[in-house]
Amino acid sequence: MKGIIISLAALSVTTAYAQKIEGPSVISKTSFAIVVDDSTYLQAAEEINAYRSAIEGSGLGTYIVHHHWNKPEEIRKVLKDLYARPQQLEGAVLIGDIPVPMIRDAQYLTSTFKMNQKINWQRSSVPSDRFYDDFHLEFDFIKQDSLQKNYFYYSINPDAVQQLHLSIYSARIKPPVVPGKDKYTLIREYLRKVVAGKKQQNSLDNMFVSTAHGYNSESVNAFAGEQLALRNQFPAMFLPGNTIRFFHFTNDRALKFHLLKALQLPETDLAIMHGHGDSDIQLINGYPYVSSPTESKENILRYLRSKIRAAQESGKDIAAAKANYEKYLDVPVSWMDNALDPAVMKDDSIFNHHLDIHIEDIIAARPNARMVLLDNCLTGSFHLDRYLAGYYPFSEGGNIVSVANSIGVLQDLWATELLGLMQHGVRVGNWFRHIAYLETHIMGDPTFSFNSSSKLDLNAAITGRHDAAFWKSLLKTTDADVQALALVQLAGKMDKAAYSTLLKDTYFRSGYESTRLEAFLQLEKLNNKDFITVLRAAASDPYEFIRRRSLYAIGEIGSDELAPAIANMIAYDMHSERIAFKAQTAMTFINEVPMLEALKEQNADKKFIAAVTRNGQKMKELADTILDASKPDKKRISEITMMRAYRYHQTVPALITIAKDGGSSEPVRLAALEALSWFPRSWRRDDIIALCREAANGNGYTAALKAQARKNLNIFQ
């Protein structure tokens, strides 16, 4: 092995595609790859080579691969080849103008994205580098975008693996547009910052967490629960000499200025920012929560003024708009008289701008927080010229890494899963490979890590080939996230029955919220009797987020036996705002009779009884609609595709009937089969599998139907 590595260092390898591969210059068990386009390499060769040297200074052998990349397949092939070498690849960074894979037909691999793929392909596809870092997935090329030549559309191959399991980690060093600087200047400056940062001795001892308005139903219990969990994930952070701060949107009507100040502090290491967002904004505050009559009136006035301006911008009749709101809100028309006054418009504009963090705020703030985790929708839309997450590392501050999402994401994500590993010197990429969805991305250097005095080399553990005994030994540590990591790593290394028992026992014995939740999530993948046992207990777990996740799982299963768990939450946990929201959704997925019986057993409020009764009638009408061949295909398909977002297990028999019905059109049958792919944990799972086996191998099914059936079977594995 040593001889191979030395020869790679001594030679530059040119492939048949004229790709230049410069081998590592240090011996290490794993390796890393810097992938860059030729133009960027020519403009920043000195900085790229310095970056490589800095990485190798930490003992990680690093390739440099540069080429004029014409399509994503070229890069994927190089990475797979490097992964197959003795000095196995552990990760890669994509620098500069790297093709963007736009993934279609794989929304089940996202946290929640469910957009109609018939609309604009740029919007309905998922920009995802899982194309480059998950070698288990297989992709079928569709086309190159006619306008954005760097976009390449792919579909997930139906006959391949349908679950994410990253082979390596990946990241992007792709500068957004910054006034007054070209992209090559930004890349050079960023790499110099990274190299300088790797020379610093910086441990993780200062962090903050922020929660914005509208996030997780603004639940106080969710906010408090996260603090309890973080205390166990980062126990040292709560000791004198270290700092952890929690910001809530109710702390200030313009909280963004406090957050920007916290981001600017040179000592800030990690920032976790929860909230809604878009490609160019982090939403922080809404209108103030007030109780005084004067301030309440001012909120109404702002609202009315915004509506009148919106009417003017859309060309509507202003007088008619005022009359409408006068009647709708029973307010005097005089409250809207100054809506179009320039001075008032300016004041309102300033007020609204102060509510949220904009791209310009990040540029001006020059964030110093080394790592920023953006738990928002769309802030990581790296395929765009301007994407907010990119302005963190490419600012003139000390930020090295941001982690963000390229599309809309689930509010109820476990954003801090395994994050405590970062305090032990784990490279951000080695943490990331355990938590990524199709849309999750690292912006910046994925080899970034904090200094640690830990004797345990978790990077080597994660990238090595340790057996079950090694990982079981880590369950004896007094570290919540090291234990959680061990549970993740033990999957596939133990007999399934023994693994299931271990997970169940860990759930019931652990006092660590994150360890317990990891045991729950790993058991959920097994979806067996042990999971049902744990699921019932999880519905009343002390940790609010476990209770919340249990409601998701109950909805995914939908069996009658889980009705009492929902009813118990409705009886005793409705003060937890996010639980209340999810419980009222989950109860609609259970059959009417057992749900009613469970609610009556708890003496539930009559409004819940009425809601379940209405839902029972709705399910009958829904089944009748989708089964009615006399209805237009468009109507039937619209109702069928709703099941991708709502697990109405009551409609599964109807969907199976439609999929089998040779008298229905192929689009309708295909919609039914595709909708069934979203029910992998349903209590009617066996019926769906039987249908898919019949469709995949039987007569009376078109090639498209057969392909979807095979895809479903792979999803259900």
Side-chain angles (χ1 to χ4, degrees), residues 331-550:
V331 296
V333 72
S334 62
W335 285 15
M336 295 167 267
D337 283 348
N338 64 351
L340 302 179
D341 181 281
V344 175
M345 291 175 68
K346 180 180 178 180
D347 287 344
D348 284 350
S349 178
I350 293 171
F351 175 88
N352 289 329
H353 194 271
H354 286 174
L355 295 177
D356 306 307
I357 294 177
H358 306 266
I359 285 173
E360 293 71 22
D361 295 319
I362 301 301
I363 294 173
R366 302 176 180 178
N368 283 308
R370 308 305 187 278
M371 179 177 174
V372 176
L373 179 56
L374 296 173
D375 181 20
N376 316 99
C377 295
L378 295 161
T379 51
S381 300
F382 65 90
H383 59 302
L384 303 177
D385 291 336
R386 286 167 53 87
Y387 66 106
L388 187 137
Y391 290 91
Y392 279 90
F394 285 98
S395 70
E396 294 180 359
N399 176 259
I400 302 296
V401 169
S402 66
V403 180
N405 305 292
S406 62
I407 55 169
V409 293
L410 187 71
Q411 279 193 66
D412 300 293
L413 283 178
W414 187 13
T416 60
E417 181 177 6
L418 298 176
L419 194 60
L421 300 178
M422 294 300 299
Q423 66 198 316
H424 301 302
V426 169
R427 288 188 275 273
V428 65
N430 280 329
W431 161 74
F432 176 83
R433 64 188 296 185
H434 295 93
I435 59 91
Y437 288 91
L438 195 65
E439 68 269 24
T440 326
H441 291 84
I442 299 172
M443 314 302 171
D445 171 30
T447 69
F448 169 79
S449 64
F450 294 101
N451 289 98
S452 171
S453 59
S454 175
K455 295 180 181 179
L456 177 62
D457 187 345
L458 284 176
N459 286 304
I462 290 168
T463 58
R465 293 188 174 91
H466 296 286
D467 60 13
F470 171 82
W471 290 108
K472 283 182 180 178
S473 71
L474 295 190
L475 290 174
K476 299 175 183 178
T477 66
T478 56
D479 188 289
D481 280 2
V482 171
Q483 288 188 14
L485 174 66
L487 294 178
V488 173
Q489 292 287 343
L490 283 166
K493 291 182 171 67
M494 293 178 64
D495 170 78
K496 267 192 176 182
Y499 183 51
S500 180
T501 299
L502 172 66
L503 293 171
K504 181 178 70 173
D505 290 346
T506 300
Y507 173 80
F508 283 110
R509 293 175 183 173
S510 180
Y512 296 144
E513 293 86 354
S514 60
T515 307
R516 219 162 50 241
L517 179 52
E518 197 64 69
F520 174 90
L521 294 178
Q522 295 303 316
L523 259 179
E524 185 178 22
K525 294 176 183 177
L526 299 179
N527 195 31
N528 57 14
K529 290 183 180 179
D530 283 342
F531 178 58
I532 297 300
T533 299
V534 167
L535 180 55
R536 288 197 181 102
S540 56
D541 193 278
Y543 182 25
E544 185 272 352
F545 191 52
I546 289 181
R547 301 200 304 277
R548 202 187 328 155
R549 287 301 296 247
S550 76

Side-chain angles (χ1 to χ4, degrees), residues 57 77 342 411 689:
K77 182 181 185 306
Q411 279 193 66
I689 290 174

